[in-house]
Amino acid sequence: MTTPRGFRDRSDDSIFELIGDIPELVRNLVVAEINGAKAWAQRTAKDAGIGAGWFVGALVVLFWAVPVFFAFVIAGLSSWWPVWLSALVVFGVMVVITAILALLGYLRFKKLSNRENPGKAIAEDVRIVKEARDEY
């Protein structure tokens, strides 16, 4: 006898038949969970790829917008100064900002290289334990 959903009515099966079906049911459950995880990973990877594409598009537009902004600044300064002086001032400010950002990056990397290496710490711990062992 089947149920309205198409499943077989198992109420009359013996306990041994039901226990004998457990390995197949567990296998089916594991396969279904793995397939669900694969589908989730594929959807997530697709959405992440599309999102990354939108970010790349935004960065391309920003890349081309920056020169336009600096041209605007030069044009604005040329109201008071000659165009060549306006361009020179904007260039000088950009060089100073670049130098400051590079210095900040250098200091951050220098700070990073001053950190204690976990491998060295473990080697030091092993050396201390060996010295303590040799004393006794």
Side-chain angles (χ1 to χ4, degrees):
M1 173 177 195
T2 60
T3 62
R5 294 177 68 190
F7 296 108
R8 184 169 63 91
D9 184 13
R10 311 230 18 205
S11 61
D12 293 333
D13 289 352
S14 71
I15 188 76
F16 296 112
E17 286 181 74
L18 295 174
I19 290 174
D21 289 342
I22 288 177
E24 181 184 354
L25 294 173
V26 170
R27 181 193 142 319
N28 292 342
L29 178 63
V30 169
V31 167
E33 289 294 333
I34 290 172
N35 289 338
K38 285 180 186 178
W40 176 84
Q42 288 174 345
R43 285 191 312 269
T44 303
K46 178 183 174 186
D47 290 341
I50 292 171
W54 288 117
F55 275 119
V56 167
L59 289 174
V60 166
V61 170
L62 180 64
F63 176 77
W64 291 109
V66 170
V68 171
F69 173 74
F70 288 121
F72 167 76
V73 172
I74 291 170
L77 288 176
S78 68
S79 303
W80 296 290
W81 299 332
V83 175
W84 65 269
L85 182 60
S86 301
L88 190 61
V89 167
V90 169
F91 176 74
V93 169
M94 289 172 61
V95 168
V96 168
I97 291 173
T98 302
I100 290 171
L101 293 175
L103 178 64
L104 291 173
Y106 172 74
L107 292 175
R108 179 57 57 133
F109 276 111
K110 188 175 178 183
K111 180 181 177 182
L112 182 72
S113 65
N114 289 338
R115 289 187 182 157
E116 184 177 341
N117 184 352
K120 290 180 183 177
I122 292 172
E124 181 66 19
D125 293 343
V126 168
R127 187 189 60 78
I128 291 171
V129 168
K130 283 183 179 180
E131 287 178 3
R133 181 192 66 190
D134 292 341
E135 288 179 14
Y136 298 105

